[in-house]
C-alpha cells in the first residue's frame, strides 16, 4: 500500500500571486498527474509526468507550470492566480507508466483567490 | 477527439436496491480502458472497477458490475444491494492507447447517487 500527500490542504492567495502546490507519493509509481476540479464538475487534466523530469501538458495547462524533479514528487504552480478563482486541485499517481492507468488520488488542495 | 459523457446528474434510490448509471464514450482507438471512480462527501476519490476494451465479459468487483456495450460505446455501472455509504459522486473515465504508456484519463462530469434508508 501507499499514500499520496498534498500540501497545503487549503491555499488562499491574492489575485496575480504565484502559488505552488506540492504532491508526494510513496507508491513508487512512475506516473503522476495534476487535475483541477471545479464545483459540481468532473476532473480536468492540467499536467502529467510519466517519469522524473518528464512533463506532458493536459487540456488545462495554460496558466500553470509543473515540475517533477524526483520520482516521488510532483509540484504544480499557478503562475498568476485569478480573482474569485475557487477549485480543488487533485494529485494522482499510477504504476507502469500509466498503461493500466488505475490511478490513486490524494486528498486535494482547495484553492481560494481573494 | 476522445470524450466521456454522463448524462444523469443525480439518482436517488432506497437502500438495498439496485442503481444503474450510464456513461457513453467517444474514441478513435481500437484499444482502450474504461474506469469508474467514486468521490465521497469528504472529497476522497477511490478507484472502483475497470473494463478493458478487448474483453467481452463484463467486469465485476464486489457489488459493483459493469454493462459494457461496445457497439454503443457505452459502459454502465451497476451497484446492487446499495448501502447508505454508497452515496457519492460516481465518475466514468476512459484511457486510450491500449498498453502503451504515457496516456492520461478523460473523465465524465459525474453522477451523484443518494441512497436513503
Amino acid at each position: 500500500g501507499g499514500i499520496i500527500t498534498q500540501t497545503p490542504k487549503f491555499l488562499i492567495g491574492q489575485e496575480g500571486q504565484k502559488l505552488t502546490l506540492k504532491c508526494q507519493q510513496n507508491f513508487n509509481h512512475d506516473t503522476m498527474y495534476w487535475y483541477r476540479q471545479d464545483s459540481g464538475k468532473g476532473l480536468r487534466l492540467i499536467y502529467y509526468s510519466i517519469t522524473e523530469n518528464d512533463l506532458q501538458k493536459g487540456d488545462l495547462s495554460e496558466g500553470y507550470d509543473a515540475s517533477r524533479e524526483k520520482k516521488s514528487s510532483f509540484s504544480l504552480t499557478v503562475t498568476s492566480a485569478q480573482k474569485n478563482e475557487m477549485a480543488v486541485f487533485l494529485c494522482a499517481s499510477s504504476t507502469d507508466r500509466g498503461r493500466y492507468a488505475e490511478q490513486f488520488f490524494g486528498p486535494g488542495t482547495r484553492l481560494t483567490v481573494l | 477527439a476522445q470524450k466521456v459523457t454522463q448524462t444523469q446528474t443525480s439518482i436517488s434510490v432506497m437502500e438495498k436496491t439496485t442503481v444503474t448509471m450510464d456513461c457513453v464514450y467517444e474514441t478513435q482507438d481500437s484499444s482502450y480502458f474504461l474506469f469508474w471512480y467514486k468521490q465521497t462527501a469528504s472529497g476522497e476519490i477511490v478507484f472502483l472497477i475497470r473494463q478493458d476494451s478487448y474483453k467481452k465479459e463484463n467486469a465485476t468487483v464486489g457489488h459493483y458490475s459493469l454493462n459494457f456495450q461496445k457497439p454503443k460505446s457505452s459502459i454502465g455501472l451497476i451497484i446492487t444491494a446499495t448501502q447508505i455509504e454508497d452515496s457519492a459522486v460516481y465518475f466514468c473515465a476512459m484511457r486510450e492507447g491500449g498498453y502503451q504508456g504515457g496516456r492520461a484519463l478523460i473523465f465524465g462530469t459525474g453522477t451523484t447517487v443518494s441512497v436513503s434508508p
Side-chain angles (χ1 to χ4, degrees):
Chain A
I3 192 168
I4 295 178
T5 305
Q6 290 188 238
T7 55
K9 191 175 176 66
F10 298 96
L11 182 57
I12 299 175
Q14 302 290 327
E15 185 182 13
Q17 193 175 1
K18 187 174 179 180
L19 302 167
T20 298
L21 294 71
K22 294 185 183 297
C23 176
Q24 296 266 351
Q25 53 96 1
N26 64 0
F27 288 101
N28 198 35
H29 283 167
D30 294 305
T31 308
M32 296 185 74
Y33 311 80
W34 277 107
Y35 292 93
R36 174 181 167 130
Q37 185 177 30
D38 292 279
S39 180
K41 295 187 179 178
L43 282 69
R44 292 183 290 170
L45 182 68
I46 305 172
Y47 268 98
Y48 70 103
S49 167
I50 63 173
T51 189
E52 195 175 316
N53 294 319
D54 173 76
L55 292 173
Q56 308 283 339
K57 291 184 178 181
D59 290 341
L60 213 60
S61 62
E62 188 171 337
Y64 301 95
D65 287 330
S67 173
R68 181 98 181 269
E69 294 177 0
K70 292 192 302 184
K71 186 176 182 179
S72 61
S73 66
F74 194 27
S75 298
L76 181 73
T77 298
V78 180
T79 55
S80 179
Q82 300 299 304
K83 188 173 177 63
N84 296 324
E85 182 176 4
M86 286 182 66
V88 176
F89 291 84
L90 292 153
C91 177
S93 71
S94 64
T95 189
D96 211 11
R97 297 206 164 195
R99 279 185 285 182
Y100 294 95
E102 173 184 327
Q103 295 182 11
F104 296 83
F105 284 82
T109 292
R110 188 173 295 273
L111 171 67
T112 302
V113 181
L114 303 175
Chain B
Q2 64 268 38
K3 188 177 179 181
V4 176
T5 303
Q6 295 178 255
T7 56
Q8 298 158 297
T9 306
S10 63
I11 302 173
S12 295
V13 297
M14 300 298 291
E15 194 177 12
K16 300 177 186 175
T17 63
T18 296
V19 62
T20 301
M21 59 200 91
D22 302 325
C23 174
V24 293
Y25 56 91
E26 296 175 27
T27 179
Q28 302 301 316
D29 272 19
S30 58
S31 184
Y32 48 89
F33 299 104
L34 300 162
F35 303 81
W36 282 90
Y37 285 81
K38 170 184 177 181
Q39 185 171 36
T40 62
S42 67
E44 181 187 15
I45 298 177
V46 177
F47 163 74
L48 295 177
I49 191 168
R50 182 184 97 201
Q51 179 77 38
D52 300 351
S53 63
Y54 64 88
K55 290 187 177 178
K56 294 183 179 179
E57 311 81 41
N58 290 319
T60 299
V61 175
H63 74 146
Y64 302 106
S65 61
L66 297 178
N67 179 16
F68 181 39
Q69 298 184 58
K70 195 170 182 179
K72 296 183 179 180
S73 296
S74 171
I75 184 74
L77 175 67
I78 303 162
I79 308 175
T80 56
T82 53
Q83 302 162 20
I84 301 296
E85 49 267 35
D86 291 321
S87 297
V89 180
Y90 290 83
F91 291 101
C92 177
M94 175 180 67
R95 180 191 171 281
E96 295 177 319
Y99 290 101
Q100 178 186 353
R103 301 290 185 96
L105 292 177
I106 306 297
F107 282 83
T109 52
T111 296
T112 300
V113 172
S114 300
V115 181
S116 303

